[in-house]
Amino acid sequence: MQTIIFVFLKKKNALDQIVKKNAFIIGLIGAVANLALVIYIWQIQAFSSVGLGIAMMILPIPFGIAAQWWSKSSLNGYLSLKQGVLAFFLCMLVIFLVDFIANYLIYVQIDPGAQAIAEKATEEFAQKNENALANQDVFKKPVYSLGSYFTGFISKLLFYTIFGILSSLIFRKETPQQA
């Protein structure tokens, strides 16, 4: 397992190797936390819980920031914009890849019946909502296919990369040029 990780992380630049390793480790921790939340929501069938939905959206961000922070600490307080974005992106990649696989397996392979329960909960939530747009047919019925899960994976990865760029601008501290 460790050999596979290091082959994946192998690159000419030793500093980038450190960033990749740190991001991968933090990403695994974030993936486990995210997976626990996904399983919890599935097991208690809390598909319409606003609080858990917000938690699912916010949960990956601190892990990406932690990957940047740890990388900066490992690089003696210096982190380029590129390295900061790389740390955040790789962390999100690991988290969302596990999320993609887990959701696909749960809702398509293990418990397809949960699809109907999730759709019913969403419809009931939309009916309770006082917002006129929520009561109309604005939300389309989800498609539970490998392609739609993969599209969601890519969309989340790209969306969260924006947070990675912004936090990298805050964390960056370029190394002084050697004379």
Side-chain angles (χ1 to χ4, degrees):
M1 174 71 174
Q2 193 174 26
T3 307
I4 295 170
I5 293 170
F6 288 119
V7 169
F8 172 73
L9 299 176
K10 189 175 182 181
K11 184 171 166 92
K12 292 179 184 177
N13 189 340
L15 300 179
D16 287 350
Q17 262 187 321
I18 293 168
V19 170
K20 288 179 181 181
K21 179 183 167 212
N22 293 346
F24 185 77
I25 292 168
I26 297 291
L28 283 177
I29 295 167
V32 168
N34 189 61
L35 180 62
L37 190 55
V38 167
I39 292 172
Y40 177 75
I41 290 170
W42 169 54
Q43 287 296 307
I44 67 166
Q45 298 180 354
F47 303 113
S48 63
S49 171
V50 175
L52 289 174
I54 291 171
M56 284 290 297
M57 290 174 32
I58 294 174
L59 181 69
I61 296 171
F63 288 102
I65 292 171
Q68 290 174 326
W69 177 79
W70 189 22
S71 294
K72 184 175 181 177
S73 296
S74 298
L75 299 174
N76 299 321
Y78 296 103
L79 187 74
S80 70
L81 181 64
K82 176 191 143 222
Q83 291 167 333
V85 173
L86 178 65
F88 197 94
F89 180 81
L90 288 179
C91 182
M92 293 301 112
L93 180 71
V94 172
I95 291 171
F96 293 138
L97 183 62
V98 170
D99 181 64
F100 158 64
I101 293 168
N103 277 301
Y104 178 77
L105 289 175
I106 288 171
Y107 296 105
V108 176
Q109 300 295 323
I110 297 171
D111 188 11
Q115 295 174 13
I117 297 168
E119 288 173 22
K120 183 179 177 186
T122 304
E123 288 173 12
E124 289 174 2
F125 179 76
Q127 289 173 354
K128 289 179 188 176
N129 194 338
E130 296 176 9
N131 186 348
L133 290 176
N135 291 326
Q136 297 174 1
D137 288 333
V138 173
F139 302 109
K140 64 179 185 174
K141 185 176 178 180
V143 178
Y144 295 95
S145 69
L146 187 60
S148 66
Y149 278 107
F150 185 72
T151 301
F153 163 69
I154 296 297
S155 299
K156 284 195 285 189
L157 190 58
L158 293 175
F159 176 74
Y160 280 84
T161 300
I162 296 168
F163 293 107
I165 294 169
L166 295 174
S167 61
S168 292
L169 289 170
I170 296 167
F171 272 99
R172 78 178 165 156
K173 182 177 178 185
E174 300 289 336
T175 55
Q177 296 297 326
Q178 301 284 332

